[in-house]
Amino acid sequence: MSLLLLSIDTIAAHIERYKDLSRLPEEICALLFERVLELGKLNPKVLAVFTATQHGLVLARIKALNLRDTPPVLPDADADWRKRAF
C-alpha cells in the first residue's frame, strides 16, 4: 500500500475533524470522498466540507449520487408527546 493511500485512509477515518479540504488537489480530494463513502462516514457536515472545495470531480460525484443538504432539524417544543397517556 502506498503512502498516499495510507494517508487517505487516515484522513477518511477522522474526516469529522477537518473543516477545510480546499487546499487538497482535486484528484486526491475525489479519492478521499470515495473512501469516506466506503467507510460510511458521510454526514451533512462532512458533505458540506466536500461541497465547499468546489472541485469539479467531487461535485460531479455528489450530483451523480443525488446527494443534497438536509434541512436543519428544529427542536420540538412538544417532544415529550410520546410520554403522555392517551
Side-chain angles (χ1 to χ4, degrees):
M1 186 175 270
S2 72
L3 183 58
L4 174 63
L5 292 177
L6 286 173
S7 299
I8 288 174
D9 282 346
T10 301
I11 294 169
H14 304 286
I15 192 66
E16 65 278 351
R17 296 180 185 174
Y18 295 89
K19 295 180 176 145
D20 183 22
L21 300 173
S22 62
R23 294 182 183 206
L24 288 177
E26 185 173 0
E27 295 80 14
I28 293 175
C29 194
L31 287 172
L32 179 60
F33 183 72
E34 292 298 327
R35 187 65 180 136
V36 167
L37 288 174
E38 290 171 6
L39 293 175
K41 296 226 172 223
L42 188 66
N43 60 38
K45 181 183 172 190
V46 172
L47 180 61
V49 170
F50 278 106
T51 304
T53 65
Q54 293 298 308
H55 290 314
L57 291 173
V58 175
L59 295 177
R61 184 70 169 132
I62 290 170
K63 185 176 179 182
L65 293 171
N66 198 24
L67 298 174
R68 294 181 231 145
D69 291 333
T70 56
V73 178
L74 300 174
D76 187 9
D78 201 357
D80 64 340
W81 63 269
R82 288 172 257 150
K83 297 176 185 174
R84 293 186 201 154
F86 289 99

